[in-house]
Amino acid sequence: MKKSFKILSLALSLTIGVAATAGLAISAAAMDGAAPADNMPAPLAQSATPAPAAETKAAATVYLVPGVGNSLAGTPLTAEETAALHMEGEVFKAGAAGSQLPTPTTTKTDRTGAAFAFNGWWTVVDATVTYFETVPAVEETTYLYADFRAALSQPSDPIAPPAGSETAAPEHYMLVTRAATGKQEMIPLHVSGTEVSNAVQAGYGKPVQWYNEWFVMEPGDTVSYWFTGVYGSKPMYGPRPRHTPQSCDILLNSSGEYGTTGLYMEYLNDDYDIHNVIPGVAAGPGEKRREFYQANACDEAPTLSYTGPMATQAYVFRIYIQFYDEGGHMTLYMENLSLKLGVKA
């Protein structure tokens, strides 16, 4: 049995389980068509790598991916089997088609200590997020991901505001200006705990991070980031000059094939440093870091633009943000779900 819903708008914020990850193997073979040299030995001239056999329906397999912080009864694939699938974390082989899917458990809790709730197993089918209660019959290898959410992140029916009232802004959000229309859009950011011990607590009593698991960026869009609790009791843009010595910078983190943040986002109103260096803190390979003292001095929100060399079309992303140095240093990581999971914006 399956349930599904369409991806309806750019602002849809589908908060799928925070740590659900997937791998996407893309292979290509090319032949230049050149004839072998006359003096080439016959076995070498005629040797060619055979094209891989197409996956048959009988060979197609369903795998279960519970995600980091979640567990599932049974025996996971070996490290070698997982690596062969280009996956990270534990992966389990599902039962026969039509059999009941198991229920995973989690160690994740919200800021009140309540455990995250399990919403089901999901995957994307024809740009549609689809949930399954039983193992589906598939014609190609399919990965099902565990959807765990905090109570505040559970889907709910929208409530229309009273006539004449204004809709309140979220506590935390990305403020995106769409290049195509010039209109501004607030994309909510959600809060979860983090294992990084020196991240800011923002009034939650433990280190936290901000995330959104499903949003769209289009070429030319610009974005600033607003948070409650880091600098005050109402949403304020960040980063801001903090700590001693003062910091006011954003690091664009990169990790893996689909998380090359610096290839999508560029600094728009930063204090340009040709050496891209901040004393005492070095950026890693493929990472960028810039300061925003002048933007703050002009009361402008530090702003990034979706204009990097890979920002050639609309893509679906997930994002994770952390703050350090009392809110003076911000790290930003974006992962391209369109390329990783094959979904359309």
Side-chain angles (χ1 to χ4, degrees):
M1 181 182 298
K2 65 181 180 180
K3 301 179 291 182
S4 63
F5 59 88
K6 286 289 185 181
I7 302 169
L8 297 177
S9 70
L10 298 180
L12 177 62
S13 300
L14 173 63
T15 315
I16 302 300
V18 173
T21 59
L24 178 64
I26 304 174
S27 62
M31 297 181 63
D32 59 13
D38 293 338
N39 61 352
M40 181 179 290
L44 293 179
Q46 298 175 2
S47 65
T49 302
E55 184 178 42
T56 64
K57 182 175 181 179
T61 305
V62 177
Y63 294 100
L64 304 179
V65 185
V68 177
N70 310 325
S71 58
L72 187 64
T75 303
L77 302 183
T78 65
E80 291 76 14
E81 292 171 326
T82 302
L85 294 173
H86 302 282
M87 298 291 289
E88 298 177 357
E90 289 190 331
V91 179
F92 297 76
K93 186 176 291 187
S99 61
Q100 192 72 25
L101 285 165
T103 300
T105 58
T106 186
T107 59
K108 299 187 184 106
T109 60
D110 62 19
R111 61 178 180 175
T112 69
F116 279 26
F118 176 62
N119 285 358
W121 295 97
W122 69 277
T123 193
V124 174
V125 181
D126 297 330
T128 302
V129 175
T130 306
Y131 284 76
F132 292 88
E133 297 177 1
T134 58
V135 179
V138 298
E139 297 186 6
E140 60 183 3
T141 295
T142 300
Y143 300 90
L144 300 183
Y145 305 94
D147 176 5
F148 280 98
R149 307 189 201 183
L152 289 177
S153 298
Q154 292 291 356
S156 59
D157 295 330
I159 300 175
S165 66
E166 296 182 359
T167 302
E171 284 190 323
H172 322 281
Y173 58 89
M174 296 180 282
L175 184 60
V176 178
T177 301
R178 297 298 182 185
T181 63
K183 294 183 178 180
Q184 289 190 322
E185 179 181 340
M186 289 183 180
I187 299 178
L189 291 169
H190 311 288
V191 182
S192 70
T194 175
E195 295 179 354
V196 182
S197 61
N198 62 331
V200 299
Q201 299 187 11
Y204 288 90
K206 61 181 180 181
V208 295
Q209 64 182 354
W210 288 261
Y211 69 94
N212 187 300
E213 292 271 347
W214 199 272
F215 69 97
V216 174
M217 293 296 291
E218 296 179 301
D221 288 352
T222 60
V223 57
S224 57
Y225 307 90
W226 299 69
F227 309 88
T228 299
V230 180
Y231 311 105
S233 59
K234 63 180 182 179
M236 300 178 70
Y237 60 72
R240 291 170 175 264
R242 287 291 186 274
H243 208 48
T244 303
Q246 281 197 343
S247 60
C248 183
D249 59 88
I250 297 178
L251 170 67
L252 302 184
N253 270 329
S254 293
S255 177
E257 181 180 357
Y258 307 107
T260 51
T261 310
L263 295 181
Y264 296 100
M265 306 303 294
E266 293 186 325
Y267 302 94
L268 192 62
N269 58 345
D270 60 302
D271 303 334
Y272 179 71
D273 176 1
I274 193 171
H275 300 294
N276 204 16
V277 170
I278 291 179
V281 185
E287 296 179 335
K288 297 180 180 179
R289 180 198 304 277
R290 291 286 174 81
E291 300 174 342
F292 288 89
Y293 290 103
Q294 292 302 318
N296 275 264
C298 298
D299 198 25
E300 296 177 358
T303 303
L304 303 180
S305 61
Y306 184 63
T307 53
M310 289 289 289
T312 56
Q313 66 182 72
Y315 286 123
V316 176
F317 288 92
R318 66 171 56 145
I319 190 171
Y320 296 96
I321 296 171
Q322 292 176 340
F323 279 101
Y324 307 88
D325 300 331
E326 300 175 8
H329 174 51
M330 171 179 158
T331 62
L332 185 149
Y333 170 75
M334 285 172 54
E335 188 172 36
N336 190 323
L337 296 182
S338 292
L339 298 181
K340 185 173 184 177
L341 302 181
V343 298
K344 297 179 180 180

